[in-house]
Amino acid sequence: MRLIASSLHDEVAAQLRERIFSGELLPGSFLDEPALAEQMNISRTPLREALKVLTAEGLVRHEPRRGCFVNEVTEQDLDDIFPVLTMLEGRCAFEAALHASAADLQALEALHDKLARHARARRINDYYAANYAIHEAIITLAGNRWLAQVIGVLRKIVKLARLQQLHAPGRLEESLAEHQAVFAALQARDAAAAEAAMRVHLERQREALRELARNRLGRRTP
């Protein structure tokens, strides 16, 4: 019975996570437990366990005597997260350059070809999906489950911000060039260059997000 209960609350957490990432549950919104339990046709117990999981991931916050809310990611949060993410993903690229087989590099090349096609066609949603797959592949090639675990948590929080940095002028082309630089270093088995290129990629991503935030603020200022 414990296994069944655990499986249920994991499934509930997955469904809520997807609703948060899709924007159906907006940052700052109150999570009405009775209504959610009724919608999902479950009891309050697995729902509460699922909310504990999402709270531990940083996607939900619990306020005493008020309940649970979808978390909101601030510019300060992003400033705190990105240096850590840059360091960790840079290390993944370093390790991937050492460990990747010829078949691994061939698979990465196919992903980069797909990325380039989406960039040329300006299919931004498809580009994001291919971009995510490339990052995941490099993390997997690093072969360090602790790195993968911490990066996974941080990437969920960044995703919560729902910021579209590729809509910044020229950013799509820059992002593609940065990915190609990482891949070239991986092909050359140059671990230091792969790490440096990945760090540059994430640093520029943060700067693009910062510029978008400044532009939004400027539009709101009378």
Side-chain angles (χ1 to χ4, degrees):
M1 292 299 293
R2 284 197 200 97
L3 287 175
I4 294 172
S6 175
S7 175
L8 179 57
H9 89 248
D10 286 342
E11 182 181 337
V12 172
Q15 289 183 25
L16 290 174
R17 194 182 293 116
E18 181 55 36
R19 292 174 69 179
I20 289 170
F21 289 153
S22 70
E24 184 182 343
L25 297 172
L26 293 171
S29 61
F30 173 63
L31 297 173
D32 185 330
E33 289 187 24
L36 284 172
E38 184 176 350
Q39 288 171 16
M40 303 177 84
N41 195 27
I42 56 173
S43 71
R44 298 279 287 278
T45 299
L47 176 60
R48 285 173 174 165
E49 291 302 312
L51 290 173
K52 287 178 184 177
V53 170
L54 298 181
T55 300
E57 292 178 358
L59 301 181
V60 167
R61 71 176 187 277
H62 178 263
E63 297 185 8
R65 295 182 297 279
R66 293 193 65 205
C68 289
F69 297 80
V70 178
N71 223 343
E72 298 167 277
V73 178
T74 66
E75 285 296 304
Q76 185 60 57
D77 290 327
L78 295 176
D79 281 340
D80 291 341
I81 289 169
F82 262 89
V84 181
L85 198 55
T86 296
M87 177 178 64
L88 297 177
E89 289 214 47
R91 184 63 191 183
C92 283
F94 182 97
E95 295 291 343
L98 300 178
H99 299 148
S101 67
D104 293 329
L105 291 174
Q106 189 173 12
L108 269 177
E109 184 173 17
L111 284 173
H112 281 83
D113 288 345
K114 185 182 294 186
L115 194 75
R117 289 197 300 273
H118 293 323
R120 286 194 296 271
R122 305 201 68 79
R123 294 188 292 263
I124 289 181
N125 287 341
D126 292 331
Y127 185 98
Y128 270 116
N131 170 79
Y132 182 84
I134 288 169
H135 280 267
E136 284 293 296
I138 292 172
I139 292 165
T140 300
L141 288 174
N144 185 321
R145 68 188 178 96
W146 300 108
L147 269 177
Q149 183 175 315
V150 177
I151 290 169
V153 171
L154 294 177
R155 290 178 80 190
K156 284 175 186 172
I157 298 171
V158 170
K159 190 175 179 180
L160 183 62
R162 303 184 72 244
L163 297 170
Q164 300 283 303
Q165 49 102 11
L166 292 177
H167 288 286
R171 180 58 196 148
L172 187 62
E173 293 76 16
E174 290 172 356
S175 174
L176 178 61
E178 291 155 18
H179 266 291
Q180 290 170 334
V182 174
F183 183 56
L186 292 173
Q187 285 181 308
R189 311 288 186 174
D190 189 334
E195 179 174 19
M198 182 62 81
R199 282 175 172 261
V200 167
H201 174 53
L202 288 167
E203 287 164 358
R204 289 181 178 168
Q205 181 179 331
R206 176 66 191 114
E207 183 52 42
L209 291 173
R210 193 178 288 115
E211 183 63 27
L212 280 175
R214 282 196 292 261
N215 289 342
R216 281 198 305 274
L217 184 61
R219 286 196 295 270
R220 291 191 195 117
T221 303

